[in-house]
Structures are given as structure tokens and as C-alpha cells.
Amino acid sequence: MGGWAIAVHGGAGVDPNLPLERQQQAKALLTRCLNLGISALRSSLPAIDVVELVVRELETDPLFNSGRGSALTEKGTVEMEASIMDGNGRRCGAVSGITTVKNPISLARLVMDKSPHSYLAFSGAEEFAKQQGVEMVGNDYFVTEDNVGMLKLAKEAKAILFDYRIPLESTCGAAAESPIQMNGLPISIYAPETVGCVVVDGEGSCAAATSTGGLMNKMTGRIGDSPIIGAGTYACEVCGVSCTGEGEAILRGTLARDVAALMEYKGLGLQEAVDRVVQKRLDQGKAGLIAVSYKGEVAYGFNCVGMFRGFATEDGFMEVGIWD
Ligand code: ASP
């Protein structure tokens, strides 16, 4: 066993011109979350508790697209989704269509621990949240000024945005040469996205958690990859994986489960499995993922401009990065 390890992400797809201040804010938040996870692991908290703790912190901070600061639906409302999986026993819980629960990841955890099911959505999930007595707030709590502006841009461009991608026309005055297009529009990517955390604890147990507001200007009722076990999130005896990017592409590629399957059935190493999945199962420019193995390794991969990410291992390695 190689000791504990932790990885966090704040979304894939980053504008190459992201202002320095915004980069620093993102790195500071990722570092804070890593440190939170590290102290929990040093206190011997199990992996499943650590991923929940870290994702709660990310949901509470409005910088990334989860909890407060979530991307908005076409109606200007927030519909959040989250999932969590404990590799130890392959237990999992997921929620979608969450409008009033302050920390959707903890509701996903309760679905796993306290319900007979794996996945609850919309009114049933909200009802369950009330029964469980989790902290609830008005939908307005999640809506930030930044996101109201972003939704306006998305509507002007008649585009469902990959969270925070701004049509270049709106930001640069002219439709510059963007290699990335959505709905036929050249787009730039301005701010961080979905959040996730994967952990292997000192006992070699892996866990994964992912939380998101989804896509900016999405249809109400849209469900992406983040709450789908095997697509956006997966954990088993060998690894934990959390994905981010265009949900429809991640769903088609069953990215998270494919990483585990390559390790389990083909005996690939963690980084090798991640690379294979990114190369073979993902359309160009669409997504990224972070992963840990039971051996205490960390790995990541993405095929877009950048991914907000951070890693730490028990032997003292720590890194926070955005670009390739
Ligand atoms: N994967 C998320 C979704 O499609 C978005 C993201 O990762 O930023 O809902």
C-alpha cells in the first residue's frame, strides 16, 4: 500500500485568457480544499468522509459551478446534481434536480446511507431531504450575479454553454479564431466548472464525489454525467474517478467506469487507464478527469485547454495546476 492520496478538480475547460486574479482565486480555493482533505486523512478519516467534506467546501464557496455559484437553467433557476461512491463495498448515492439543499453532496451521501435506493431526483429528492433534516435554503441563495450575466450572454448567443464558455463575440468584440465551438458558435471559456474529489485513505479504500449545477442555459430537467455512477463518478476496490466537462460526451463514453474497467480487466496502471480513456472514449475538447488508485497514486487527463486541479500524496507531494 502506498499511503493516502487526494485529488480535487474545479472543472475542465478553461479560457486561456482567464484573468490572473481569477486563476489565483481558483488555485487558492483548490489549495484550501487539499489542505482540508490532508488534515482529515492525517486524522484517519475514511476516504468516503473526506470526499464529502471537501466537496461540501467547494459547494459552499461560490467560485466554482456547484452549490452556491451553480450554473443556471434557461429559466434562471438552479437545478443541482451530485453523486458519491464508496469503493469499499461499491456503495453509491446520487441526486438530481436539487433546488433548495445547501449541500447536494451530503444529500447524495444520505441517499447512499439512509435510503433503500441509489438515486433520487427532483421532488422526491427534496422530500427526502426534508425528512432527513438537511440544511435547506431558498433557490436564490445559489444564484450569483456573475451567473446571471453569463446566462444573459448564453441567451443572446442562443447557446447552451459548457458552463461558463462565453461567446467570443460578447467578450472580444469579434469572433476570434476559437478552436472550440458549441452550437456552431466560437466560444471562449471564462471560469471554473463542476467540482469533484477522489481519495484513497491509509487503509487503501477509494472514494469519489462530484457535484455540479450542470450546463449554463440548460433545459430544466436536463441531467448530465455528474450524478450518473459510471459516467461522472465511480469508485471501486482499485480506484476512484471524478469527471468534468460536457456531460453528454462523458455519458456516451462512460468515462469513470471505463478507467476502473481497464484497471480491473486489463491490468492497466492508473495513469495508463486514464490516458486510454481520454484518447479513445472522448471527443476532442470535451472533458477531463481526476483519479486515485488503491496504491496511493494520483492521475489526471483532459483534452481541453485546461482543468482546475490539485493533488497531494502522503509522501509530501502537492501540486495545484490549471493548464496542460
Ligand atoms: N459535466 C457537467 C455537466 O455536464 C459540467 C461540468 O463538468 O462542468 O453537467
Side-chain angles (χ1 to χ4, degrees):
M1 217 75 75
W4 56 253
I6 175 169
V8 288
H9 72 73
V14 187
D15 184 345
N17 301 314
L18 187 72
L20 199 60
E21 193 196 337
R22 200 82 189 204
Q23 295 182 33
Q24 281 162 349
Q25 281 171 355
K27 283 185 174 174
L29 176 54
L30 291 168
T31 307
R32 192 172 88 218
C33 287
L34 277 181
N35 283 328
L36 186 68
I38 291 168
S39 346
L41 284 160
R42 284 190 181 139
S43 316
S44 301
L45 225 64
I48 189 69
D49 290 339
V50 181
V51 293
E52 182 188 353
L53 181 78
V54 169
V55 169
R56 276 180 71 94
E57 185 74 10
L58 288 160
E59 287 175 339
T60 305
D61 192 297
L63 191 66
F64 293 144
N65 171 17
S66 68
R68 182 144 187 271
S70 279
L72 305 177
T73 68
E74 59 188 355
K75 295 193 177 145
T77 54
V78 164
E79 288 183 0
M80 297 166 289
E81 31 197 25
S83 65
I84 190 162
M85 186 158 185
D86 190 349
N88 200 356
R90 299 193 188 205
R91 298 181 321 123
C92 59
V95 291
S96 281
I98 300 304
T99 54
T100 60
V101 175
K102 192 170 174 217
N103 290 106
I105 198 64
S106 293
L107 187 60
R109 173 83 190 261
L110 286 165
V111 170
M112 176 175 101
D113 287 344
K114 300 272 160 62
S115 90
H117 303 300
S118 300
Y119 191 173
L120 292 175
F122 296 93
S123 56
E126 295 275 333
E127 191 55 41
F128 177 68
K130 271 186 218 138
Q131 285 164 12
Q132 293 297 318
V134 302
E135 189 174 356
M136 297 176 93
V137 289
N139 199 252
D140 282 358
Y141 162 84
F142 303 103
V143 180
T144 62
E145 219 176 286
D146 272 5
N147 286 346
V148 171
M150 209 67 66
L151 179 64
K152 195 164 161 278
L153 289 174
K155 282 188 177 296
E156 279 165 14
K158 296 190 177 36
I160 296 162
L161 299 182
F162 188 140
D163 293 308
Y164 292 86
R165 289 179 180 188
I166 304 174
L168 287 178
E169 274 167 336
S170 314
T171 49
C172 310
E177 327 73 50
S178 167
I180 305 156
Q181 300 229 335
M182 178 163 276
N183 301 350
L185 287 160
I187 45 183
S188 163
I189 313 151
Y190 183 66
E193 305 180 41
T194 293
V195 306
C197 179
V198 291
V199 164
V200 54
D201 60 28
E203 305 294 314
S205 293
C206 298
T210 311
S211 181
T212 189
L215 303 184
M216 182 62 76
N217 201 20
K218 67 182 181 181
M219 290 171 67
T220 54
R222 180 259 186 191
I223 292 172
D225 62 296
S226 308
I228 307 294
I229 296 300
T233 305
Y234 198 74
C236 60
E237 297 77 8
V238 295
C239 65
V241 184
S242 171
C243 303
T244 169
E246 193 186 300
E248 285 70 9
I250 299 170
L251 281 165
R252 285 195 296 277
T254 56
L255 295 197
R257 173 59 201 158
D258 268 22
V259 170
L262 285 168
M263 295 179 74
E264 286 185 279
Y265 299 142
K266 276 201 122 189
L268 262 54
L270 183 73
Q271 187 66 59
E272 220 184 334
V274 167
D275 291 345
R276 185 77 60 91
V277 164
V278 171
Q279 283 156 16
K280 302 262 186 212
R281 284 283 167 268
L282 196 52
D283 308 334
Q284 190 52 39
K286 296 293 189 189
L289 54 94
I290 53 169
V292 291
S293 79
Y294 71 101
K295 292 182 184 163
E297 300 156 313
V298 289
Y300 71 93
F302 57 88
N303 69 3
C304 41
V305 184
M307 179 169 77
F308 294 90
R309 59 191 187 272
F311 308 93
T313 55
E314 189 166 353
D315 58 14
F317 166 79
M318 185 160 163
E319 184 184 272
V320 172
I322 301 178
W323 317 112
D324 206 353

